[in-house]
Amino acid sequence: MLEQFGSLSPANVQKWQFTEPKQGVFNYTQADDFVNFALKNKKSVVCDTLVWHQEYPSWLDQKKWTKEELLKVIDQHVYSEVSHFKNRCFSWNVVNEALNDDGTWRETLFYNVTGTDYIATAFRAAARADPKAQLFYNDYNIESPSAKSTAVENLVKTLKKQNIKIDAVGLESHFIVGETPSEAQQQQQMQAYIDLGVQVLVSELDVRFSALPPTEAGLVQQTNDYQSSINACIKVGKQCMGLYVWDFDDAYSWIPSTFPGNGDGDLWYANFTTTPAYDGVVSALEAGELKNY
């Protein structure tokens, strides 16, 4: 199974609550285990996540920060973590899910104290710590034209105007069977980001059923939905830097706990047998002459 993937990404162990559980006290033990395993098996590592409004340590909520203080904390955290993994991470999800679906800024601890300055601070710190790593902004519901996608485009423009390194936009691509944006819509939106001078990656692809068990027609649709993302990435060429699934099997999927009654969204079932969508993904990759993507 491992040989079918060219890259690996950790689910949680590089997130802030694990890597800096107490202010200024860093713990990279679990993350090092993951990264070392990936590199030992000759896989590139898509490192994840530096700044997110979830899975950050409780000490951040236990103090009333000034803007300057919190920006310094963000800078120190990002710089420390990226420095620790320098030359081991192919890329970093630097800032995750900073926008609401209507394109407005999500009101988080970081935004409420610093406005949008925390985003620039995080990207600057990551670039300073590892200039060779590919840095990306990551979000969901930005895979086709929408107010949120436009807001991401504006974010990219803003960072670039400030000469801040941003290399890519990560499209989470958490889809529902039968409600996935079309191949044409995904390709159009990918190209819109690319036209701004960044690459794209399909960063967390899964296509879940909203009701279980799936029907035969539903399994066919799920295969088509997976292929829409694969084909869109292939058609924009090398500017789509990768395709990643989240997770690869239903046994450890995040979906059932987040969306009760939903599931079977991955390429392997919980018993580790492959789904029809797996065969469809392999066919699409082979047709596009892409392997281990």
Side-chain angles (χ1 to χ4, degrees):
M1 189 178 298
L2 186 62
E3 68 274 7
Q4 298 182 57
F5 296 92
S7 303
L8 298 178
S9 184
N12 294 301
V13 294
Q14 286 183 319
K15 293 186 171 76
W16 198 332
Q17 75 176 50
F18 293 93
T19 57
E20 193 183 359
K22 296 181 180 180
Q23 187 174 3
V25 179
F26 296 91
N27 184 347
Y28 298 117
T29 302
Q30 294 182 76
D32 276 330
D33 287 344
F34 178 88
V35 171
N36 291 337
F37 171 83
L39 295 176
K40 181 180 179 180
N41 286 278
K42 299 181 180 179
K43 310 299 179 183
S44 61
V45 188
V46 179
C47 292
D48 186 287
T49 298
L50 294 169
V51 180
W52 188 29
H53 64 277
Q54 297 184 40
E55 294 192 59
Y56 64 75
S58 59
W59 58 262
L60 278 168
D61 285 325
Q62 294 171 355
K63 178 178 176 179
K64 188 173 182 179
W65 304 94
T66 66
K67 178 177 179 177
E68 292 73 18
E69 287 172 337
L70 188 54
L71 289 177
K72 184 177 180 180
V73 164
I74 292 167
D75 179 88
Q76 290 175 335
H77 170 74
V78 172
Y79 184 80
S80 173
E81 181 159 359
V82 177
S83 295
H84 180 82
F85 293 102
K86 184 177 182 179
N87 297 325
R88 290 192 285 166
C89 292
F90 167 72
S91 63
W92 275 102
N93 174 357
V94 179
V95 175
N96 198 51
E97 299 175 358
L99 291 159
N100 296 311
D101 281 346
D102 63 0
T104 58
W105 295 105
R106 189 188 295 273
E107 293 188 5
T108 65
L109 166 68
F110 307 114
Y111 177 78
N112 291 340
V113 175
T114 77
T116 60
D117 286 355
Y118 77 94
I119 300 174
T121 295
F123 273 92
R124 283 193 177 106
R128 194 170 76 249
D130 188 352
K132 293 182 180 179
Q134 299 292 294
L135 309 180
F136 65 94
Y137 172 78
N138 195 61
D139 217 324
Y140 59 89
N141 291 346
I142 61 168
E143 301 85 5
S144 58
S146 67
K148 190 173 187 180
S149 300
T150 299
V152 174
E153 293 173 32
N154 291 334
L155 171 60
V156 171
K157 292 175 186 176
T158 298
L159 292 175
K160 283 190 163 290
K161 284 181 181 178
Q162 298 177 66
N163 294 317
I164 294 171
K165 175 180 165 69
I166 176 171
D167 300 295
V169 173
L171 294 77
E172 291 188 16
S173 306
H174 294 302
F175 296 137
I176 300 172
V177 172
E179 299 179 26
T180 296
S182 69
E183 177 185 321
Q185 289 173 318
Q186 293 185 60
Q187 183 181 348
Q188 176 185 348
Q189 190 56 53
M190 288 179 183
Q191 191 62 52
Y193 297 129
I194 292 166
D195 289 344
L196 298 176
V198 294
Q199 294 181 296
V200 294
L201 65 154
V202 178
S203 59
E204 302 181 26
L205 178 62
D206 50 45
V207 186
R208 69 183 184 270
F209 288 93
S210 56
L212 297 171
T215 63
E216 288 300 318
L219 290 170
V220 171
Q221 184 63 55
Q222 184 187 46
T223 298
N224 293 337
D225 290 342
Y226 262 102
Q227 288 180 326
S228 291
S229 296
I230 305 297
N231 291 334
C233 177
I234 289 171
K235 287 183 176 179
V236 299
K238 292 182 179 180
Q239 295 307 310
C240 183
M241 60 193 282
L243 292 153
Y244 306 91
V245 291
W246 199 271
D247 286 283
F248 68 89
D249 66 285
D250 293 326
Y252 296 98
S253 173
W254 67 285
I255 294 169
S257 62
T258 305
F259 300 102
N262 289 222
D264 285 9
D266 298 312
L267 298 179
W268 278 262
Y269 291 119
N271 65 2
F272 295 101
T273 59
T274 57
T275 69
Y278 168 89
D279 295 325
V281 166
V282 171
S283 295
L285 292 173
E286 289 179 342
E289 298 183 350
L290 293 172
K291 297 179 180 181
N292 289 328
Y293 208 59

